[in-house]
Amino acid sequence: MDFDLWLARFQDWLRLRFSSKDTVRNCLSGLRPFIDFALELGLTSWTEAGRDVLDEYRTRLFFGKNHRTGAAWTVGTQVARIMAVKTFFRFLVKDGYLLLSPAAHLELPRRRKPLPSVLSELEMRQLLEVPEVETHAGIRDRAILELLYGTGLRNGEVCSLTLDQVDLSSQLVRLQKGKGNKGRVVPLGGEAQAWLEAYLTRVRPALLRDPHLQALFLDRWGHKALSRAGLSAIVNQLGKRSGLDKNVTPHVLRHSCATHLLRRGAGLRHIQQLLGHESISTTEHYTRVEISDLRRILSRCHPRERQS
């Protein structure tokens, strides 16, 4: 069986269905260990890859170890690899190579989803005061922080913003392609609006080297859009300078935005729309943070708890 040919066919199929290059790349890399496994077994046709073969592969993943570090595969790695296999067999069925997918009911390893890391409102104010707003870099950094915290946008969504998507007159950000290639409209708060105006009038024109470039945030040389890695590095550095004993990332600011809104009475449906969650169950994850806060308050304040 020509495994390289099957990988090429699968890659073409993925590209037709997923616009994200990261999704295609991750799915292909997740499938390669299974291809090696099939090669080791000497499979001559995908019809030979029944439930027994897939169960054996899942068991091997569970007990397998990273050859470089010697550590067991994480649940996340196991899930990613099994999902790649399930997607591959769905491709084989959709394109008529198989009648039924033996991977359709293959169970995924279960993992406990951790509580999202958040900053308190006091810590958030401390972080916002870090940028030196007398400098161009400081104004840009403050605008980035205010936008991330004020809107809950994802790292990639901020980096992909263009000038025509930021409507300062209406105080709106019109995302054309968020996660899952879905757009949404997000309101700008007063602070985010003010710092974006300062950035656009005083900083961006001084940075810009290519007058045709429409990206909102530019890299340090002004030649192209700020990358996701670049944005993460800026936020991380600001977190370190703030003195907070936490790893600060763009996603931490997104979590903080949602959690603070929830604490101050915002409804889950409104937060869901703001964050662009397809399912309300994803947004409900933030209520776990509130439950943990409530548990601490109960322990500290309830008369029966204090008595004990």
Side-chain angles (χ1 to χ4, degrees), residues 80-94:
R81 292 185 175 183
I82 292 176
M83 282 301 301
V85 170
K86 291 168 77 74
T87 304
F88 177 68
F89 277 94
R90 189 163 73 246
F91 146 70
L92 293 176
V93 171
K94 291 287 187 181

Side-chain angles (χ1 to χ4, degrees), residues 30 53 57 64 67 99 119 138 172 176 183 190 195 204 206 214 226 228 241 290:
V53 170
Y57 177 66
H67 298 302
L99 290 177
L119 303 179
L172 295 173
Q176 294 175 355
W195 286 104
R204 191 180 182 279
Q214 292 299 301
L226 182 64
R228 293 198 295 182
R241 286 167 50 192
E290 291 303 292

Side-chain angles (χ1 to χ4, degrees), residues 101-162:
S101 169
H105 301 291
L106 193 63
E107 292 185 6
L108 298 173
R110 295 185 179 180
R111 54 181 171 181
R112 180 176 175 80
K113 197 170 184 181
L115 289 173
S117 176
V118 298
L119 303 179
S120 69
E121 292 188 33
L122 181 61
E123 289 172 331
M124 196 63 233
R125 287 196 294 271
Q126 185 176 333
L127 177 66
L128 290 171
E129 293 300 321
V130 171
E132 299 173 0
V133 293
E134 298 80 14
T135 66
H136 282 177
I139 294 173
R140 178 207 60 187
D141 294 349
R142 182 66 181 267
I144 286 173
L145 291 180
E146 294 285 1
L147 184 63
L148 286 167
Y149 177 55
T151 62
L153 291 179
R154 300 176 177 92
N155 183 335
E157 291 172 340
V158 170
C159 292
S160 67
L161 282 176
T162 54

Side-chain angles (χ1 to χ4, degrees), residues 50-243:
R51 285 295 301 271
D52 55 338
V53 170
L54 296 177
D55 284 339
E56 183 180 345
Y57 177 66
R58 183 177 57 181
T59 301
R60 180 173 293 196
L61 277 178
F62 181 79
F63 290 104
K65 293 184 178 181
N66 186 314
H67 298 302
R68 184 172 55 84
T69 64
W73 295 119
T74 65
V75 174
T77 297
Q78 295 177 49
V79 168
R81 292 185 175 183
I82 292 176
M83 282 301 301
V85 170
K86 291 168 77 74
T87 304
F88 177 68
F89 277 94
R90 189 163 73 246
F91 146 70
L92 293 176
V93 171
K94 291 287 187 181
D95 276 27
Y97 299 111
L98 291 178
L99 290 177
L100 295 172
S101 169
H105 301 291
L106 193 63
E107 292 185 6
L108 298 173
R110 295 185 179 180
R111 54 181 171 181
R112 180 176 175 80
K113 197 170 184 181
L115 289 173
S117 176
V118 298
L119 303 179
S120 69
E121 292 188 33
L122 181 61
E123 289 172 331
M124 196 63 233
R125 287 196 294 271
Q126 185 176 333
L127 177 66
L128 290 171
E129 293 300 321
V130 171
E132 299 173 0
V133 293
E134 298 80 14
T135 66
H136 282 177
I139 294 173
R140 178 207 60 187
D141 294 349
R142 182 66 181 267
I144 286 173
L145 291 180
E146 294 285 1
L147 184 63
L148 286 167
Y149 177 55
T151 62
L153 291 179
R154 300 176 177 92
N155 183 335
E157 291 172 340
V158 170
C159 292
S160 67
L161 282 176
T162 54
L163 295 176
D164 62 322
Q165 291 176 277
V166 180
D167 187 349
L168 293 179
S169 61
S170 301
Q171 291 189 272
L172 295 173
V173 173
R174 305 179 193 276
L175 281 173
Q176 294 175 355
K177 290 184 180 181
K179 188 174 182 181
N181 210 22
K182 296 178 180 178
R184 68 184 188 278
V185 178
V186 178
L188 278 173
E191 289 293 329
Q193 166 95 1
W195 286 104
L196 274 177
E197 286 179 346
Y199 166 76
L200 286 171
T201 56
R202 297 166 54 187
V203 179
R204 191 180 182 279
L207 281 177
L208 187 64
R209 295 295 176 266
D210 179 0
H212 301 292
L213 188 60
Q214 292 299 301
L216 175 63
F217 289 110
L218 311 176
D219 67 3
R220 60 187 298 183
W221 298 280
H223 292 295
K224 58 183 179 180
L226 182 64
S227 67
R228 293 198 295 182
L231 180 60
S232 293
I234 289 171
V235 174
N236 186 256
Q237 279 297 115
L238 292 171
K240 290 179 179 178
R241 286 167 50 192
S242 71

